[in-house]
Amino acid sequence: MGRKKQEEEQNNPEYGEPAQFDPTFTGPIHNRSCTDIICCALFMLVITGYMVVGILAWLYGDPRHVLYPRNSTGMFCGVGPNKDKPNVMYFDILKCATATNIMAAALQGLQCPTTQVCVQTCPSEFWVLPPSAYFSGAKPADFFKPEYCVPSFQLQGTSYSVMDIVNKELCPSFYIPTTSVLGRCLPSLGGSAYSPNNFPSNFSLSGLDANGTLAAIRNATGDVTNSFNIKDVGLRIFEDFAKSWQWIVAGLVIAMVVSVLFLLLLRFTAPVLVWVLIFGVLAVGAFGIWYCYNEYMTLASSSLTFNNVGFTTNVQVYLQVRDTWLAFLIILCIVEAILLLALIFLRTRILIAIALIQETSKALGHMMSTLFYPIVTFVLLLVCVSYWGITALYLATSGAPVYKVVAMNTSQGDCSTIRANETCSPETFNGTLYPTCPSARCVFINYNEEGLFQRNLFNLQIYNVVAFLWCVNFVIALGHCTLAGAFGSYYWAFSKPADIPTFPLTQSFMRALRYHVGSLAFGALILTLVQIVRIILEYLDHKFKEAQNPCTRFIMCCLKCCFWCLEKFIKFINRNAYIMIAIYGKNFCVSAKNAFSLLMRNIVRVVVLDKVTDLLLFFGKLLVVGGVGVLAFFFFSGRIQTPGTTFQTAALNYYWMPIITVVFGAYLIAHGFFSVYNMGVDTLFLCFLEDLERNDGSPQKPYFMSKNLMKILNKKNKAPKTG
């Protein structure tokens, strides 16, 4: 009797009364009604507004402004009339003052203060206009290449002199070896082409020597193109994927098979794995104690103390102080003692956790479809992310382009005739209207911000982010509720598997969509609001980082930490609330309250189960990702030769890219399968706690738990009396 009381959780009346027996309850309630209707209507209204925003963005936006480069007249390179000219060439790259200005202008057409033309291929050699070109009678067609001149300028038969052409920037006076980087002809400074020894003897800019010219080019292009050719690297990576995609898929299939086998075999291996991991942690702690004691005794003759050392950033100095190892030794001894005491006094609860893990593995065996539900969640999340990204892109490019008359070179002529903010049209612009300013050009400046839609683009972007977060959290909540309903159907089936409903996952999914969209949206909204606050704090911290003093940095750090903890707590509450919603069909607030009260009445069991499950699933992820990653490394690096295959490691440009892809994919696959398992453990645990409170093992109130759990708790179902 004493052992029985010792193994039962003490119910704290502060967290409500235990659940009462209900003779009509046999699992997830089918006769239920819609919950949180107001929040459901609000969520549908937001989704409708989100669709309207997407339609407006699609009508007004033009992503070509971001995806394609443009010439000086605002025409796109690589599409339309310039379909065969995908790259933009800069007449004088030195005028693109800094790399920062280049990248800042990238989203607005990469407009540098120099003439830009669309070209089929970027220049691959050094060329500068020779002095003979400026002689009287020199023909411009003998010096300039038509493909690098302004399209509207007819080089053959022109009446302009070479000097006029250079001053009006109709053709470049020089060009240098460049490569296409995102459609922009930029110098690739990482190679040997720009070595001073390779400069042509006649090539110099503004009287600079080879070293001065190289320095000027580096200053103009900065780090953007320094030994980094994005397009070339991208093509090589794509080529590697094309050669090895079959083996990448094979690696991901192996990760999936190993994950499924690991979860299904936990019903047999969970006790061994859990105890091995627990004693492994204790062994690591014992080794740490021995090591600290050994270091402490080794420094017995050392006279170095903390007073001698003082404060220093060199951690190695503190490791030479004997008292450092004494402190480590004391801390490890205390932690080891706590772990041993917890193991002794919580051994029954550890056994309960192991039994629930085994029971979850059995449930997965009977409902294999639950393992593949993460695919549905992944597809829905992919739709949300894609819609958000496309909407943001179209919103960012909404509004008609604005062109203004700009003097590309104010040192040539009198450009005061150009009015401030004088707009123009690139199709009809006539430079002869500005005879005193030969470098006048019609250049793209920004997008039109006039009009109701354009003036509210920032607000619409905020709406886009908020709606996106709400949709993502709703999709995750729908997955939790669906899986919880399926696992709840398994637990409350008295005779397993005979009493398990047909298609429990599909039934649970339909119940969640039919009755509980409002409740799921309510929980997702609470989490979204906290995430928005965290985003705002991160933005403020980044925006005012330089102006912060130590006090404000401390306050900001505390706020960020508090809201991080709040987000984790809300995720925990929501997760358990969705389980209660799936089983009992109550609204969000009631379900959250009941779940929280139930967990707090069994807080010790909650902590033990959570930590044991986390430890086991961490080991499982480590096993799957690490094992598949090591296999991929040995295969793609050529250390494993597969007979009968034509795959050769030497054919890959970057053999580490398939490895990274396999490791990342294996992690996503393992995380998806293990998230289902984690949800199953949490659902069965809540059902187990309800089972203990509702039932007593009598014929009228039998336990639904497995025989293994009843054996651990020293309980059993009494047989009904006969005769």
Side-chain angles (χ1 to χ4, degrees):
M1 190 73 175
R3 180 186 173 188
K4 194 174 182 181
K5 289 182 179 180
Q6 183 180 1
E7 292 176 347
E8 290 180 349
E9 289 288 342
Q10 296 295 323
N11 293 318
N12 191 341
E14 181 181 352
Y15 298 105
E17 295 297 326
Q20 300 300 316
F21 173 71
D22 181 3
T24 62
F25 179 76
T26 57
I29 297 173
H30 295 276
N31 186 18
R32 55 180 74 194
S33 59
C34 295
T35 56
D36 295 304
I37 299 176
I38 295 177
C39 196
C40 178
L42 178 62
F43 182 64
M44 293 302 171
L45 186 64
V46 170
I47 294 297
T48 304
Y50 201 16
M51 295 173 64
V52 171
V53 170
I55 293 172
L56 291 175
W58 182 77
L59 291 175
Y60 287 96
D62 187 357
R64 294 182 302 171
H65 295 302
V66 174
L67 301 177
Y68 298 100
R70 282 178 305 198
N71 61 17
S72 297
T73 62
M75 297 183 68
F76 295 107
C77 300
V79 292
N82 296 317
K83 186 176 182 180
D84 58 339
K85 299 178 180 179
N87 305 305
V88 65
M89 172 189 170
Y90 304 91
F91 276 18
D92 189 353
I93 193 68
L94 302 183
K95 291 183 179 179
C96 301
T98 63
T100 304
N101 290 342
I102 291 178
M103 297 312 291
L107 293 180
Q108 297 187 7
L110 202 56
Q111 298 297 320
C112 293
T114 184
T115 302
Q116 304 159 52
V117 295
C118 297
V119 296
Q120 186 173 15
T121 57
C122 295
S124 59
E125 60 184 357
F126 288 98
W127 177 84
V128 66
L129 196 64
S132 60
Y134 298 97
F135 294 162
S136 177
K139 295 181 179 180
D142 295 336
F143 301 98
F144 298 108
K145 289 187 176 182
E147 62 267 27
Y148 294 154
C149 295
V150 174
S152 60
F153 173 62
Q154 297 297 325
L155 188 60
Q156 295 291 339
T158 180
S159 59
Y160 288 132
S161 66
V162 171
M163 182 63 72
D164 292 334
I165 293 174
V166 172
N167 290 338
K168 293 178 179 294
E169 292 197 13
L170 298 175
C171 295
S173 61
F174 75 94
Y175 48 78
I176 58 179
T178 56
T179 53
S180 178
V181 179
L182 299 179
R184 283 85 181 174
C185 294
L186 298 176
S188 182
L189 301 179
S192 60
Y194 285 85
S195 172
N197 298 327
N198 294 334
F199 269 59
S201 58
N202 66 332
F203 188 88
S204 64
L205 301 178
S206 303
L208 299 174
D209 59 8
N211 289 323
T213 301
L214 178 60
I217 295 173
R218 287 188 182 277
N219 181 59
T221 56
D223 295 332
V224 178
T225 58
N226 188 15
S227 69
F228 187 72
N229 189 332
I230 298 177
K231 187 175 182 180
D232 182 58
V233 173
L235 289 175
R236 290 173 181 268
I237 291 175
F238 181 80
E239 184 182 358
D240 288 344
F241 282 138
K243 293 177 180 177
S244 60
W245 69 268
Q246 301 97 326
W247 301 103
I248 293 175
V249 172
L252 298 180
V253 170
I254 292 174
M256 182 181 70
V257 172
V258 172
S259 298
V260 173
L261 288 177
F262 180 83
L263 295 178
L264 294 179
L265 291 177
L266 280 179
R267 62 189 295 183
F268 308 109
T269 61
V272 177
L273 283 177
V274 169
W275 288 115
V276 166
L277 291 173
I278 290 174
F279 284 111
V281 172
L282 292 175
V284 170
F287 173 79
I289 291 173
W290 172 84
Y291 185 81
C292 291
Y293 176 77
N294 188 56
E295 291 293 323
Y296 177 75
M297 296 304 297
T298 303
L299 297 173
S301 59
S302 175
S303 60
L304 197 63
T305 63
F306 288 117
N307 293 331
N308 304 129
V309 174
F311 178 77
T312 177
T313 56
N314 187 0
V315 180
Q316 294 296 326
V317 175
Y318 291 112
L319 296 181
Q320 303 302 318
V321 180
R322 194 178 187 217
D323 291 342
T324 301
W325 294 104
L326 179 61
F328 289 160
L329 179 63
I330 294 173
I331 293 172
L332 284 177
C333 286
I334 293 174
V335 172
E336 189 80 356
I338 292 174
L339 291 176
L340 284 172
L341 290 174
L343 180 61
I344 294 172
F345 290 103
L346 300 178
R347 63 188 184 279
T348 301
R349 292 169 179 83
I350 294 174
L351 292 174
I352 293 174
I354 294 173
L356 283 171
I357 290 171
Q358 291 178 292
E359 196 66 21
T360 305
S361 186
K362 290 181 183 178
L364 289 176
H366 292 299
M367 301 183 299
M368 289 293 292
S369 59
T370 56
L371 282 174
F372 299 97
Y373 183 81
I375 297 176
V376 177
T377 301
F378 175 77
V379 171
L380 293 177
L381 289 178
L382 187 63
V383 170
C384 293
V385 173
S386 301
Y387 187 83
W388 166 78
I390 294 173
T391 303
L393 178 63
Y394 273 83
L395 284 175
T397 56
S398 295
V402 175
Y403 299 89
K404 293 183 180 179
V405 181
V406 176
M408 307 300 275
N409 191 347
T410 56
S411 63
Q412 296 178 359
D414 180 15
C415 295
S416 60
T417 56
I418 300 177
R419 298 189 303 272
N421 297 322
E422 182 178 353
T423 59
C424 59
S425 172
E427 287 82 9
T428 60
F429 177 74
N430 187 2
T432 59
L433 297 176
Y434 308 91
T436 60
C437 186
S439 63
R441 295 289 183 274
C442 186
V443 177
F444 167 81
I445 300 299
N446 55 17
Y447 301 108
N448 184 13
E449 297 179 355
E450 298 178 359
L452 180 63
F453 180 76
Q454 283 74 24
R455 287 199 302 269
N456 289 278
L457 284 179
F458 180 73
N459 297 331
L460 291 176
Q461 288 285 20
I462 293 177
Y463 185 90
N464 185 27
V465 172
V466 174
F468 164 70
L469 291 176
W470 197 357
C471 290
V472 166
N473 289 325
F474 175 81
V475 169
I476 295 173
L478 178 63
H480 288 165
C481 190
T482 300
L483 291 172
F487 284 108
S489 299
Y490 170 83
Y491 185 92
W492 295 109
F494 188 75
S495 299
K496 302 177 181 64
D499 293 343
I500 300 176
T502 307
F503 305 118
L505 186 68
T506 305
Q507 290 186 26
S508 179
F509 181 77
M510 298 307 298
R511 283 197 303 268
L513 283 182
R514 181 178 178 182
Y515 298 108
H516 305 302
V517 169
S519 297
L520 301 181
F522 191 9
L525 177 61
I526 296 173
L527 183 58
T528 299
L529 295 176
V530 176
Q531 290 173 339
I532 291 172
V533 174
R534 289 195 64 201
I535 292 174
I536 294 174
L537 289 176
E538 290 291 344
Y539 172 77
L540 294 176
D541 186 34
H542 177 74
K543 191 76 173 176
F544 303 106
K545 195 159 193 158
E546 299 299 328
Q548 289 177 1
N549 55 42
C551 181
T552 55
R553 281 199 298 270
F554 174 75
I555 294 174
M556 182 62 70
C557 184
C558 290
L559 286 174
K560 289 164 65 176
C561 180
C562 290
F563 277 95
W564 179 83
C565 294
L566 180 60
E567 182 182 359
K568 293 295 182 183
F569 177 73
I570 289 177
K571 285 183 177 179
F572 174 77
I573 292 297
N574 284 3
R575 184 183 182 90
N576 290 283
Y578 299 146
I579 295 175
M580 301 300 277
I581 290 172
I583 297 175
Y584 300 104
K586 304 293 184 182
N587 63 49
F588 178 82
C589 292
V590 172
S591 299
K593 173 182 174 295
N594 292 341
F596 183 75
S597 299
L598 180 63
L599 293 174
M600 291 305 295
R601 292 197 297 267
N602 301 271
I603 187 63
V604 179
R605 282 176 176 154
V606 172
V607 173
V608 172
L609 177 72
D610 185 58
K611 296 309 169 189
V612 170
T613 306
D614 287 347
L615 183 65
L616 191 61
L617 295 186
F618 172 77
F619 173 76
K621 287 182 181 179
L622 190 65
L623 177 67
V624 174
V625 178
V628 174
V630 169
L631 181 63
F633 171 77
F634 278 99
F635 179 79
F636 288 110
S637 63
R639 289 172 171 81
I640 295 179
Q641 298 295 332
T642 307
T645 63
T646 58
F647 177 77
Q648 296 292 330
T649 304
L652 297 178
N653 297 297
Y654 310 107
Y655 74 86
W656 43 266
M657 278 308 299
I659 298 174
I660 293 176
T661 305
V662 170
V663 170
F664 183 70
Y667 174 79
L668 292 180
I669 290 172
H671 180 74
F673 283 120
F674 285 32
S675 64
V676 173
Y677 192 83
N678 209 358
M679 196 66 201
V681 172
D682 290 346
T683 303
L684 296 185
F685 179 59
L686 280 182
C687 294
F688 165 72
L689 297 180
E690 285 271 339
D691 194 10
L692 281 177
E693 292 185 352
R694 286 178 177 274
N695 305 308
D696 57 10
S698 63
Q700 295 77 23
K701 297 187 284 185
Y703 291 118
F704 285 78
M705 69 184 74
S706 66
K707 293 181 179 180
N708 191 18
L709 279 169
M710 284 191 283
K711 182 179 179 181
I712 294 171
L713 294 173
N714 197 22
K715 297 178 181 294
K716 62 180 180 178
N717 283 331
K718 300 175 183 176
K721 295 181 179 179
T722 57

